[in-house]
Amino acid sequence: MNRDKPLILITNDDGVDARGLKALTDSVQGLGRLVVFAPDGPRSGMSCAITSTAPLICSLLHQTENMTVYSCSGTPVDCVKLAVNEILDRTPDLLLSGINHGGNQAVCVHYSGTMGAALEGCVIGIPSLGVSLYEYTPAADFAEAGRLGRIVAERILSNGLPRATYLNLNVPSMTGKVRGIAVCRQAGGRWTKEFDRETDANGQTLYWLAGDFVDDEPVRPDNDTLMLDRGYASLVPCLIDATDYALMNTLKMWDFTEAHNE
C-alpha cells in the first residue's frame, strides 16, 4: 500500500452492495488509499455485536491502485477488527462508516451497526466518523450526505480527533443542499409504539419493529433531532467512556459498609 497517502478504512451495516456505501466511497475519492471492508449483507441494528460462535470469512471483491474492496461474513464491528488486525499492513488514518440508509440521531446511536463500527474504530485508536441519511425510501438520494461526509472527513484528516472520541453525522432528507452543519448534542428520549402487529395466514401473530421517537422534556434547542428538522446536518461528538462522573461522587457517599469483608 502507498504509505504517502492517508489510509482510509470504510465500512457500513447495510452491506457491501449498498448504495450508501458506494456514495460514500465515491465522495471521498482522492483523499487517500481506500479500503472497503463491509458485511456481505445487511447487518442493521447490530450495534457493537461481534461474532464469537463461528469463524469469519472475508473475500477480496475488487482491487485498483487506489481502492480495494472486501466483503466479510460478520458484523460491522467484526469488519473493523478483522481488517485492522489481519488484512491491513498498518493502522488506518481514518475510519468512515456509512452512509447508513436511515437516521442514527438521538438514542439510535446505541442500536446502530454503522455507529458500532465507528465506536470500534475509536476503541482501536482510529479517528472515526459515522455518516447517516435520515431517509428510508428505496430511492433515497445520498449525494448530499456524501458531500458533507467528505467535508467532515477532510477536517478530521487535517485536525485529528481526541482519543476516545468519535463523530456522528446525520443528514436530513431534503431537496438541494442542507442549511449547514450544526455541531450539537445527542437528543434525549425514547421510542414509543415500538411494534406493528399483524397476523399471518396461519394465524401466527407477527411483530414488526416500528415506533415513534419522543424527545425528553425539556427539549434542548441544540439537540440533533431539532437540528435535522430545521434542515441542518447534525454533528455530534461521542465518547467511548460511559462513566457518569458526577454520580460517582454521590455513590461514594452511599453506605456500603455491609459489603466490606475486612
Side-chain angles (χ1 to χ4, degrees):
M1 291 185 181
N2 188 336
R3 292 180 178 271
D4 295 330
K5 295 181 178 180
L7 176 59
I8 302 174
L9 176 61
I10 304 176
T11 191
N12 72 347
D13 73 356
D14 289 325
V16 70
D17 295 320
R19 292 172 50 240
L21 181 68
K22 184 178 188 307
L24 184 58
T25 55
D26 287 348
S27 71
V28 297
Q29 290 289 338
L31 291 186
R33 169 68 182 169
L34 308 183
V35 176
V36 176
F37 207 99
D40 56 14
R43 302 287 193 277
S44 293
M46 286 288 180
S47 186
C48 294
I50 55 176
T51 301
S52 60
T53 59
L56 297 174
I57 300 171
C58 68
S59 301
L60 175 62
L61 302 182
H62 177 70
Q63 187 168 30
T64 65
E65 181 180 355
N66 292 312
M67 187 167 74
T68 306
V69 180
Y70 295 89
S71 70
C72 174
S73 62
T75 69
V77 170
D78 288 331
C79 289
V80 176
K81 286 179 175 292
L82 190 60
V84 173
N85 285 282
E86 297 293 334
I87 303 302
L88 302 177
D89 66 351
R90 64 183 174 98
T91 302
D93 300 287
L94 175 65
L95 182 141
L96 301 175
S97 185
I99 299 168
N100 191 65
H101 196 162
N104 281 316
Q105 70 280 12
V107 296
C108 293
V109 68
H110 299 297
Y111 303 117
S112 166
T114 298
M115 295 311 300
L119 188 154
E120 182 62 29
C122 185
V123 168
I124 295 170
I126 308 167
S128 299
L129 166 68
V131 185
S132 303
L133 176 65
Y134 190 23
E135 170 64 65
Y136 298 92
T137 62
D141 184 352
F142 294 93
E144 182 68 345
R147 183 182 77 88
L148 298 177
R150 181 187 177 99
I151 289 172
V152 178
E154 288 176 329
R155 301 301 184 272
I156 295 173
L157 287 171
S158 296
N159 302 311
L161 288 175
R163 185 166 180 83
T165 302
Y166 58 107
L167 299 183
N168 181 17
L169 176 66
N170 282 275
V171 180
S173 176
M174 56 192 301
T175 302
K177 295 184 178 181
V178 302
R179 296 176 66 182
I181 294 176
V183 177
C184 51
R185 72 179 69 211
Q186 176 185 313
R190 63 178 295 269
W191 289 90
T192 62
K193 304 174 185 175
E194 293 195 64
F195 294 93
D196 288 336
R197 183 188 300 184
E198 68 177 42
T199 303
D200 68 12
N202 298 317
Q204 176 69 49
T205 302
L206 308 177
Y207 300 92
W208 293 95
L209 189 64
D212 300 314
F213 184 79
V214 179
D215 276 321
D216 282 341
E217 297 290 344
V219 177
R220 304 292 184 182
D222 63 343
N223 80 36
D224 53 5
T225 58
L226 285 185
M227 290 297 108
L228 288 164
D229 288 343
R230 293 170 182 167
Y232 290 89
S234 64
L235 184 63
V236 177
C238 304
L239 292 170
I240 294 174
D241 189 349
T243 308
D244 186 332
Y245 289 97
L247 185 57
M248 273 182 64
N249 294 325
T250 300
L251 293 177
K252 288 175 182 178
M253 295 186 292
W254 288 14
D255 183 3
F256 292 116
T257 55
E258 69 271 27
H260 294 172
N261 293 313
E262 298 177 351

